[in-house]
Structure formats: structure tokens, C-alpha cells
Amino acid sequence: MAPEPSTPDVLPGRGAADRQTVPEQRAEAGGDPADAELVARLRAGDEAAFADIVDAWSPMLLRVARTFVSTDASAQEIVQETWLAVVKGLDRFEGRSSLRTWVFRILTNLGKTRGVREARSVPLSSLSPDDDGPTVDPSRFRGADDQWADNWTPAGAPQPWEPSPENSLLAAEIREQVAKALEGLPDRQRAVVSLRDVHGLSSAEVCDALDISPANQRVLLHRGRAQLRAVLEDYYRGRRVQGHE
Amino acid sequence: MSDHATPGMTITCSEIVEVVTDYLEGEVDEAVRVEVEAHLALCPGCDAYLAQMRATLQVLGHVPVESLSEVARDDLLAAFHTFRPPAAGSP
């Protein structure tokens, strides 16, 4: 049984906000009238408003939670604890960040604690060997002695995808392939690509939620996207790729 | 020799594929952006690569996502009701 979250510990305090490590440039930063209205409705006990944000934000919260723990069940518990802390701590939300960012910070605090307890600490803040090296097979480019060194060889050049994946009759199957490939990415790449490209978070929100630098966020995004493009390319070339070991 | 001065030719295809994310993120210098775009206009391979990347992002926008279990969701709504009873005058 999970202990009741100790609300004062997990709520982002004034100190955290004052550190100025989070650029306050995101579109939905504090002071957004829609956000203020949402908070007012929540404080007034509007259950429909609460259900709306639980439904809208839980998938991305689960994604972030999964970076701290090794099972989906644990991630579900962290997200549940997060929402409970939100319900109890709503009066302490000061509107200095967007409500969503505030909720993410509570999740991160709970996730870190939980991750330590489960002895799973994925250092999201640093890069690994997975994050280095070319993203496209070097043999697809001309050699150094070629007049057009480092440009595509005739066989290596990408060909247009016709029809485009989303216009294809196979769109559903293609989504399935990509979803499978996404699950196969290294943890940090999977988290960044999911949050940015599946859930639509801004780069600033992802950096904040995962506690990574903008430069690392871009590297992880770049490598993850490149891998997924390659999977789709193989698909278009008729080599139905299976999961690799 | 003059190739090096031709717009789009100072960057190679192998460099384009590594700068593509920064380019899409709007995180490249103006000079690099101009060079990338000149290259794309000249190079069908890189143009296709960028289109493939955009198509990949479009697919990602449609993959199914995991959500909270029904039981957990119901528990949370009940907890909300307990901790945040509807304000007086609300239905």
C-alpha cells in the first residue's frame, strides 16, 4: 500500500520557482486567463473540470512517470498520487507557472522519490552512448575520395513515400509499426519523442518535466525521431521490420 | 572550387540529416537556415528526407496513448468530490 503523499513535500515551493532555472517563456505560463478560470472552477469543486484535466493530462503524466519506475503499474500509482496531491494542494497553487507545469512538477517530485525507493534511477540529465554517432547509415553517403563526398549515393538517397503514411490505406498498420518502434527506443529518447510528438508538449515543458537541458532535449528528440523515420523507411521499402534485440 | 561558394553546396547531405531536428525546431542560425533551404531546393534526396521526417511526426501525432485505468479514474473523481465538495449554490 502506498503511503499517503505528504503534500507539503511534493508541492513545488516558492524556492523552486525562485531558482529561475525554468525559462518563463512558454505560451501557457502563469497568468493565462483560461488557466485562472480552470483553477477557479477546480477550487469551487467542479468535478467535470477535474475529470477533463485528468483525462487530458494523465496520458502524458504516465509517460513521465514511466521514466522513474520500471512498470506500468507503478507509473499508474504515481499518476494517481499526483492527482491526489493536486486535489489537496490546489489552494497552494500560486499561478506562477501554468497549472499543467505545476502538476508536472508534483509528478516529478513524487516520481523521484518513488524511483529512489525502487532503486531505479535513470539519469535523464546526461547523455549515453545511444545518443552519439550518425543517425543515418554512413554507407548511404559517398566516400571521402568522391567528388561529392558525404552526399547521398544514388542507391542511398531517400525516395519519396507514396502515398504518405497518413493518406495510405495502411495508415492504421503504419501507426502500429511506429507505436511499436517508439516503445523500442531507449528510455530517454522514448520519453522525449512521446511528450513532444505524441502528446504535443513544448520543448520547454519537456525540459522542465524531465529535468533535462534544452540541448539534451534536442539530441534525444533528434535521435529518437531519426530512428522512427528509419523504421518507416524500411516499411516503405518492403522490408517489414520486426522488433530488434 | 566555385562549388564551395554556391548556396546549398557548403553543407553536405550527411550534415543535413543531422541538423534536420534543429532546423525544424527553429534552432539554427539564420545563415544555416538559408544554407539548408538552398540545399533542399537542389537535392531531391534531402528534400525527401525532410518530407519523410515530417510524415513520421504526423504518424506520431496519431499513435494510440495509454491512459489511467477506469478504476483509478473513478477513485480520483470520488476523492475530488470528498476534498472539494461543490460550492454552495452549485448543482
Side-chain angles (χ1 to χ4, degrees):
Chain A
M1 183 184 117
E4 182 166 306
S6 51
T7 307
D9 288 336
V10 298
L11 293 181
R14 204 176 276 277
D18 283 344
R19 268 190 289 122
Q20 294 290 333
T21 51
V22 182
E24 289 295 330
Q25 63 194 20
R26 62 183 68 89
E28 61 280 73
D32 181 342
D35 222 28
E37 192 199 320
L38 174 59
V39 172
R41 286 176 62 192
L42 293 170
R43 284 179 177 156
D46 184 335
E47 199 173 315
F50 182 64
D52 282 348
I53 59 171
V54 167
D55 291 340
W57 300 349
S58 291
M60 39 187 131
L61 292 170
L62 281 166
R63 258 308 166 187
V64 177
R66 194 64 175 68
T67 66
F68 295 108
V69 292
S70 51
T71 67
D72 291 338
S74 292
Q76 290 260 344
E77 285 172 24
I78 293 173
V79 172
Q80 248 185 306
E81 286 176 34
T82 300
W83 284 120
L84 277 177
V86 168
V87 169
K88 294 177 188 174
L90 207 48
D91 292 327
R92 294 179 47 187
F93 173 68
E94 295 173 329
R96 296 162 69 99
S97 63
S98 72
L99 182 68
R100 192 161 87 176
T101 297
W102 185 73
V103 173
F104 267 106
R105 289 190 190 147
I106 294 173
L107 176 92
T108 303
N109 290 343
L110 284 166
K112 281 180 181 163
T113 310
R114 181 69 174 256
V116 167
R117 211 192 311 153
E118 294 195 359
R120 175 192 163 96
S121 61
V122 180
L124 273 165
S125 53
S126 59
L127 296 176
S128 78
D130 286 333
D131 309 320
D132 202 17
T135 55
V136 174
D137 181 354
S139 72
R140 296 177 65 173
F141 301 106
R142 296 165 188 262
D145 51 355
D146 192 293
Q147 181 192 358
W148 304 104
D150 297 324
N151 289 311
W152 301 109
T153 63
Q159 302 297 319
W161 291 344
E162 296 292 346
S164 70
E166 287 298 314
N167 290 331
S168 159
L169 289 173
L170 297 172
E173 186 184 324
I174 291 172
R175 285 176 196 171
E176 211 173 289
Q177 293 285 328
V178 171
K180 206 160 78 177
L182 179 63
E183 293 311 311
L185 289 180
D187 286 348
R188 289 137 354 101
Q189 291 179 22
R190 184 177 63 236
V192 170
V193 173
S194 298
L195 292 173
R196 287 295 310 279
D197 298 335
V198 179
H199 298 290
L201 266 64
S202 70
S203 54
E205 284 178 301
V206 171
C207 289
D208 196 38
L210 300 181
D211 197 18
I212 55 177
S213 70
N216 284 3
Q217 193 263 165
R218 285 207 303 279
V219 169
L220 294 166
L221 184 66
H222 178 62
R223 304 201 68 81
R225 283 178 174 179
Q227 176 63 32
L228 299 179
R229 186 213 63 88
V231 166
L232 265 179
E233 183 175 55
D234 283 345
Y235 183 88
Y236 269 87
R237 286 176 163 186
R239 289 191 273 129
R240 303 294 168 92
V241 277
Q242 304 299 317
H244 58 89
E245 299 304 331
Chain B
M1 171 154 183
S2 61
D3 285 343
H4 290 283
T6 309
M9 300 304 288
T10 63
I11 192 165
T12 65
C13 302
S14 65
E15 289 168 334
I16 290 280
V17 300
E18 300 304 342
V19 83
V20 69
T21 304
D22 285 354
Y23 172 73
L24 289 172
E25 293 281 278
E27 291 287 345
V28 292
D29 295 344
E30 177 66 8
V32 175
R33 187 185 64 77
V34 168
E35 183 62 17
V36 167
E37 285 171 5
H39 184 104
L40 292 170
L42 293 172
C43 178
C46 286
D47 192 52
Y49 188 91
L50 182 69
Q52 290 176 357
M53 193 57 91
R54 289 198 161 116
T56 304
L57 301 189
Q58 210 184 5
V59 175
L60 279 168
H62 291 100
V63 301
V65 297
E66 196 199 349
S67 197
L68 215 49
S69 71
E70 278 299 315
V71 178
R73 184 181 183 275
D74 291 347
D75 286 353
L76 283 172
L77 296 189
F80 181 82
H81 197 77
T82 305
F83 283 98
R84 299 268 160 200
S90 300

